[in-house]
Amino acid sequence: MRFIGRSVILLAAIACGGSSSTAPTQTPAPSPSPSPSPSSATVNATPSIAFTPATTTIAPGGTVTFAFGSVPHNVYFDATAGAPQNIPGNNANTSASVTFNTPGTYVYHCHIHPSMTGTVIVGATTSGTPSGNGYP
């Protein structure tokens, strides 16, 4: 009986790789890559005289849609290389889309309400969290 018990233990050790003290090798999980910038975002020009969100980050070639509510607004970009066309006029209850092809930071204002200002960042995010589509 002793011989059979030892034989079973020996066979079990051989079947498990020959040693019961070796821990299984684990492959580490890949580190998460940063979230890409969205290719489109919406900025609301609100009746409370604010652009929401105030800062929007998109990928190069992405589009920002400016949604104008019931109060008239417009969008004028600071003179910066690569800045898109302005959205002039008194825009209410409509929207206008602007494509940003060149990476950079673009500051804009409403000429009707000079306190209204916003920023579009075109390029990769540094925090890994895009903004402009409901993200903080």
Side-chain angles (χ1 to χ4, degrees), residues 29-134:
S31 59
S33 59
S35 299
S37 298
S39 59
S40 66
T42 298
V43 173
N44 294 297
T46 68
S48 62
I49 314 303
F51 288 113
T52 305
T55 301
T56 303
T57 301
I58 60 168
T63 301
V64 174
T65 299
F66 291 90
F68 302 105
S70 60
V71 174
H73 297 287
N74 53 41
V75 175
Y76 284 86
F77 292 93
D78 287 357
T80 304
Q85 293 290 319
N86 296 322
I87 305 170
N90 295 320
N91 303 289
N93 299 314
T94 189
S95 62
S97 295
V98 177
T99 299
F100 292 82
N101 292 313
T102 306
T105 299
Y106 303 96
V107 176
Y108 58 90
H109 311 272
C110 174
H111 281 187
I112 300 168
H113 308 102
S115 64
M116 288 180 69
T117 184
T119 305
V120 175
I121 300 169
V122 181
T125 62
T126 55
S127 66
T129 304
S131 65
N133 277 339

Side-chain angles (χ1 to χ4, degrees), residues 1-8:
M1 192 60 131
R2 280 182 153 175
F3 177 74
I4 293 175
R6 288 184 183 163
S7 297
V8 170

